Amino acid sequence: MLKPTVGPIIGHTTTRHARIFIRGNWQKNTSVFAGIRYRRIGEERWSNGVFTQLTLERDMSDVITLDDLAADTEYEYQAGWLSPMNPVHTVETVQELPVQWPRDIYRLRTQSSKANTPRAYIVGSCRYLRMTAGVPSAPHLGDRIFAAIADLALSTTPPISAMLMTGDQVYVDDLNFIAPDREYKEILAKYRTAFSQPHIAKLMSAIPTYMILDDHEIEDNWPANKNSRDDHLYKNAMSAYELYQASHSPAHELNTQGQISSSLNQYWYQFANGDIEWFVTDSRTRRNLSANDRRILDFDQEQALCNWLVNSPARVKFVVTSVMFYPDRKRLGNDAWQAFPEQRLRLLETIRTHRIKNVVFISGDVHGSLTSRLTHSEDTDFEVHTIVSSPLCNSKLLPYAKASTFILDQPLGRTAAGDYRHELMGKVISQDNFAHLMVDAEQIHVRYHNRDGNLLQSTRIALNQD
């Protein structure tokens, strides 16, 4: 067997289940299969290989599911692909072959089933990796921060439960004004290169990674900048996104055989780690820009989010939105929630009137990081926070956000019941960074680190205990 050409990437992982993305390579006139075998740390005997057939329709990639795992348990696994000499092999017959597995051994940990156990997460967005004529320019610059994340993950307690990549994992339009990528093969090549750099590849082989798109997976400020020729671009961009980002996410349900369903009804999804739950929104592809019903989330998604906020028993509720929920920007704010104030206010009123506690909005996009607290002038029980982490790697063509970028001296919104007011809980970070979140019984520790892993800022969000 040969090493994967992209991956392995650990996706959605529960107490008993893990999804792992692998890509092989096309071989003329013969079938290609990918496989994984695994065992608990300390055991000698490997499991039987779990195999899948790779096809050009999926860019020679697929997601393999591992089931019946033990909770809160560390496993090691091997992954690879092969092309048997006999072209009539099937997934079943390949399992009987005496294959030689690649030497690389990876590790994964299943989630704990215990509530109230401390958990930790990595959050980041906007990873710029310039590609020129299909070749990355100085790729180490777009990869170095993942070495720092991996080092932190190896040395910190509690273990990292997941990494949330909240948008712009690739820049399809990195040469937007010169030669933007529009063809499917060009976009696929960008994903392959972005996800196969050494440090990010090592990190994603060990930590469950959850992704959601933002505009640069398609083009800048999509769909506001869409023109009549962009349907072709959108189809190609989303086909690639579905393969490389959505395929290993909870957006895909499992069929009756325990395998990932081929159908994909939406890009937004939910997942849980004990008493901490996440709702990852699609704030990009379901927008309605019409004057009479402006929405950043479509009707069904808004209803699902509100129902989850009201009915979920989770102690902490994280809502991921690739663009900023608040604070608003002084300029160029029409691409974020600032341009959809009615829908934002509906969500805030749902949280306030139902007295929902410990809601935190997670976002990126602005190439600056911050933590902010939102309160209500007449309702002292209301409190919501936002954690923004961006960028993982900036382009020299784009500025970093600063405190002066945001509107900080005005209420976020006004209703007959009172004003929504916000305040920063620390400085705005204007350099490449990632966020390390640690959630315990009493608080959320928010720690921002620079691209070398050095601590930039630490903030604590107290959790309501009611």
Side-chain angles (χ1 to χ4, degrees), residues 4-168:
T5 57
V6 181
I9 299 172
I10 301 178
H12 180 44
T13 301
T14 69
T15 56
R16 297 176 54 84
H17 169 89
R19 306 179 183 190
I20 303 179
F21 172 97
I22 301 178
R23 181 180 185 273
N25 227 339
W26 180 76
Q27 301 293 299
K28 185 177 181 180
N29 298 327
T30 187
S31 301
V32 177
F33 300 86
I36 290 175
R37 68 174 183 174
Y38 60 97
R39 64 188 178 189
R40 294 192 195 199
I41 297 294
E43 292 183 348
E44 292 187 7
R45 185 176 179 180
W46 291 97
S47 71
N48 294 328
V50 182
F51 289 90
T52 186
Q53 187 166 358
L54 306 180
T55 63
L56 278 174
E57 287 76 14
R58 295 185 57 83
D59 194 39
M60 305 307 294
S61 72
D62 207 352
V63 175
I64 293 177
T65 60
L66 307 183
D67 292 307
D68 297 322
L69 304 176
D72 198 15
T73 300
E74 196 168 8
Y75 289 84
E76 57 185 10
Y77 69 100
Q78 292 176 299
W81 64 278
L82 74 160
S83 179
M85 296 294 292
N86 189 337
V88 298
H89 270 295
T90 65
V91 169
E92 290 73 25
T93 62
V94 166
Q95 295 175 348
E96 307 301 323
L97 293 178
V99 300
Q100 182 174 356
W101 292 82
R103 297 178 64 181
D104 289 341
I105 295 178
Y106 310 95
R107 291 194 174 192
L108 70 86
R109 178 186 287 274
T110 53
Q111 299 295 337
S112 170
S113 60
K114 299 177 183 178
N116 295 315
T117 187
R119 299 179 191 268
Y121 302 91
I122 299 295
V123 175
S125 65
C126 306
R127 183 271 186 113
Y128 188 80
L129 186 71
R130 167 171 266 176
M131 300 276 288
T132 304
V135 178
S137 174
H140 63 282
L141 298 179
D143 194 43
R144 61 184 290 180
I145 197 168
F146 297 104
I149 297 173
D151 288 344
L152 184 146
L154 287 173
S155 61
T156 190
T157 301
I160 304 299
S161 291
M163 178 168 62
L164 280 294
M165 301 184 74
T166 65
D168 297 341

Side-chain angles (χ1 to χ4, degrees), residues 201-330:
K202 180 180 178 181
L203 185 64
M204 294 195 299
S205 72
I207 295 178
T209 303
Y210 294 81
M211 305 175 180
I212 193 66
L213 80 160
D214 199 18
D215 54 342
H216 291 290
E217 274 90 355
I218 311 166
E219 71 175 10
D220 189 33
N221 287 355
W222 181 271
N225 289 347
K226 178 183 177 182
N227 61 45
S228 59
R229 303 184 304 277
D230 279 345
D231 287 342
H232 176 72
L233 164 66
Y234 182 76
K235 178 179 181 297
N236 291 336
M238 299 318 298
S239 294
Y241 172 79
E242 290 180 8
L243 287 182
Y244 281 89
Q245 298 199 54
S247 63
H248 45 81
S249 80
H252 280 279
E253 297 180 353
L254 296 180
N255 59 27
T256 55
Q257 288 75 43
Q259 300 301 309
I260 293 175
S261 172
S262 59
S263 62
L264 185 61
N265 298 321
Q266 77 265 333
Y267 300 134
W268 49 272
Y269 56 85
Q270 303 170 38
F271 69 97
N273 299 144
D275 56 3
I276 299 170
E277 295 187 8
W278 295 76
F279 194 112
V280 180
T281 68
D282 170 12
S283 57
R284 186 55 64 180
T285 74
R286 298 293 187 96
R287 297 187 179 199
N288 185 343
L289 302 182
S290 64
N292 59 347
D293 187 28
R294 287 183 61 82
R295 292 178 174 273
I296 195 169
L297 310 180
D298 59 291
F299 177 84
D300 289 343
Q301 189 176 181
E302 180 183 345
Q303 290 299 111
L305 175 56
C306 288
N307 289 338
W308 173 78
L309 285 167
V310 172
N311 297 315
S312 168
R315 180 173 63 94
V316 179
K317 299 178 182 180
F318 288 113
V319 182
V320 175
T321 166
S322 58
V323 294
M324 285 186 64
F325 194 68
Y326 77 91
D328 293 339
R329 301 179 65 167
K330 294 177 180 177

